[in-house]
Amino acid sequence: MAAAIHKPVLLKEVLEFLNPGQNENFVDCTVGEGGHSEEILKRNGPDGKVLGIDLDPVQISSAEWLKAQFKERIVLANDSYIHIRDIIGRKNFGPVNGILLDLGMSSVQLEGNGLPAGRQEKGFSFKIDQSLDMRYNDQMGYLTAEKIVNEWPEDKIENILKEYGEEKFSKKISKSIIEKRRLGRIRTTFQLIEVIKRATPSAYHKAKIHYATRTFQALRIAVNDELENIRTVLPEALSLLAFRGRLVVISFHSLEDRIVKNFLAGEVKKQTLKLLTKKPVTASGDEIRINPRSRSAKLRAIVKI
Ligand code: SAH
């Protein structure tokens, strides 16, 4: 199996709105494999820095390569972006001229490919049989997908599948999960996929998007409290920005985008920022063809005033 290569989403647009200038500093809250950070670092020299944060220890090690090229201009932190204020304080970083949030997960995490030895099992991918964990960082939080699937009541499972997964078979799938777990715990990705398969019609199994995608997405969002994280980080990010600092947020889910949109609209009224995007920017057909992750991407950008 070829390793998935992660291509940064909406790269040109991110650079246009972050508009990195000489010696400016940026926080990349979701540094991942470093795709966006690399291009920022090419533009904010000779002394501008990037603070790259990622909750997944494996992702942070995939960004290490930036150090060879950009030396002390790249600072990395394996932490959640909800702690952005503490991290900036701890690293003595600033002033902050721009912040990027590229939400969700990278294609490499999703594919589960190219796993270095000793890589923690996450169970994000429905292509490999792993334990149902789904935490970005297994040192943080105790809620796992396995706990949700085996311990939550049926209506709560149905709800997250419907809301976070926009899964039209949420009722059928949650019912099957309950039936299956009566016979023993559902522990692995493949066991869960089997349950989903049995609960859904065969036409669904031939759809372009894998029939487990929506269930997996819903579980991941719930396990990592992803919507709450966005609600937490947005006001922090805005307050940490220097005057005329830029914030760019890329979301992949309508619930995420709604949180971003409403937060920004509230701040427009308070006159703390100016929108740089009246409508969310989406990927071109060309980009979607070469980078499926960009399919549902929505970018919003602002400047602090
Ligand atoms: N922009 C990156 C890709 C980011 S993918 C690139 O071009 O390479 C999204 C990343 O966000 C993933 O690596 C994921 O591990 C990370 N992530 C998810 N939740 C997070 C959180 N709460 N804090 C920090 N990083 C998080």
Side-chain angles (χ1 to χ4, degrees):
M1 199 162 37
I5 297 170
H6 182 83
K7 301 178 200 76
V9 165
L10 293 167
L11 181 58
K12 189 169 79 52
E13 294 81 356
V14 165
L15 294 169
E16 176 191 335
F17 293 115
L18 276 184
N19 191 18
Q22 234 188 356
N23 298 336
E24 287 191 322
N25 301 311
F26 295 85
V27 182
D28 183 346
C29 290
T30 47
V31 66
E33 286 97 78
H36 290 110
S37 280
E38 176 186 14
E39 294 304 317
I40 298 168
L41 284 158
K42 282 184 189 161
R43 290 165 174 79
N44 71 339
D47 295 318
K49 294 189 174 188
V50 168
L51 169 60
I53 303 171
D54 205 290
L55 185 51
D56 181 345
V58 181
Q59 290 290 89
I60 271 291
S61 50
S62 327
E64 286 283 337
W65 68 272
L66 290 167
K67 285 191 177 155
Q69 197 173 335
F70 300 102
K71 309 282 187 290
E72 66 287 346
R73 292 178 54 222
I74 174 77
V75 181
L76 296 174
N78 180 206
D79 202 334
S80 171
Y81 57 62
I82 62 171
H83 304 133
I84 181 172
R85 181 177 298 278
D86 285 352
I87 302 166
I88 284 178
R90 208 162 66 220
K91 302 276 185 189
N92 213 349
F93 189 89
V96 181
N97 304 103
I99 299 180
L100 171 65
L101 275 156
D102 178 13
L103 299 168
M105 66 177 355
S106 89
S107 359
V108 175
Q109 288 168 309
L110 182 62
E111 295 288 319
N113 288 350
L115 301 171
R119 178 179 175 142
Q120 59 180 332
E121 286 202 0
K122 292 206 178 58
F124 282 146
S125 172
F126 35 75
K127 294 184 184 162
I128 35 180
D129 197 16
Q130 292 189 325
S131 57
L132 275 173
D133 189 308
M134 298 205 191
R135 286 171 297 175
Y136 288 108
N137 184 322
D138 65 9
Q139 304 300 305
M140 277 183 212
Y142 60 90
L143 183 64
T144 61
E146 205 240 22
K147 275 209 164 72
I148 294 180
V149 160
N150 291 290
E151 295 169 21
W152 280 21
E154 185 172 341
D155 59 337
K156 246 180 119 181
I157 296 176
E158 185 189 336
N159 252 330
I160 61 163
L161 297 188
K162 192 157 52 189
E163 270 198 41
Y164 300 169
E166 295 169 293
E167 170 58 72
K168 64 181 172 204
F169 298 111
S170 57
K171 197 174 180 68
K172 287 209 164 89
I173 295 171
S174 52
K175 187 162 172 270
S176 293
I177 287 173
I178 306 300
E179 281 163 9
K180 176 77 183 170
R181 78 189 194 191
R182 285 205 188 103
L183 308 171
R185 275 182 96 83
I186 303 165
R187 294 186 191 277
T188 69
T189 47
F190 279 14
Q191 286 175 336
L192 179 61
I193 289 166
E194 194 50 41
V195 175
I196 301 167
K197 192 167 187 182
R198 275 202 220 135
T200 50
S202 58
Y204 200 48
H205 309 154
K206 294 181 201 108
K208 210 167 146 214
I209 294 172
H210 191 284
Y211 56 89
T213 306
R214 292 170 182 280
T215 300
F216 273 55
Q217 171 183 296
L219 290 169
R220 195 201 78 221
I221 291 176
V223 164
N224 297 290
D225 214 358
E226 293 188 23
L227 302 180
E228 196 50 38
N229 291 346
I230 302 166
R231 285 188 202 103
T232 307
V233 72
L234 290 174
E236 286 283 61
L238 183 62
S239 88
L240 288 163
L241 276 180
F243 179 61
R244 294 209 183 287
R246 287 81 68 194
L247 170 67
V248 174
V249 186
I250 306 173
S251 62
F252 294 87
H253 190 292
S254 57
L255 293 176
E256 289 177 342
D257 183 57
R258 197 180 311 153
I259 294 169
V260 179
K261 180 180 152 186
N262 291 341
F263 171 77
L264 298 181
E267 295 298 322
V268 166
K269 285 203 190 103
K270 291 191 228 159
Q271 299 190 318
T272 56
L273 55 80
K274 207 178 103 200
L275 296 180
L276 298 174
T277 49
K278 292 270 177 277
K279 276 195 215 153
V281 176
T282 54
S284 67
D286 280 350
E287 178 168 0
I288 295 171
R289 261 190 297 285
I290 54 168
N291 190 3
R293 183 172 180 263
S294 69
R295 182 175 27 112
S296 47
K298 288 201 168 104
L299 178 151
R300 294 184 189 266
I302 62 100
V303 58
K304 185 161 166 176
I305 52 175

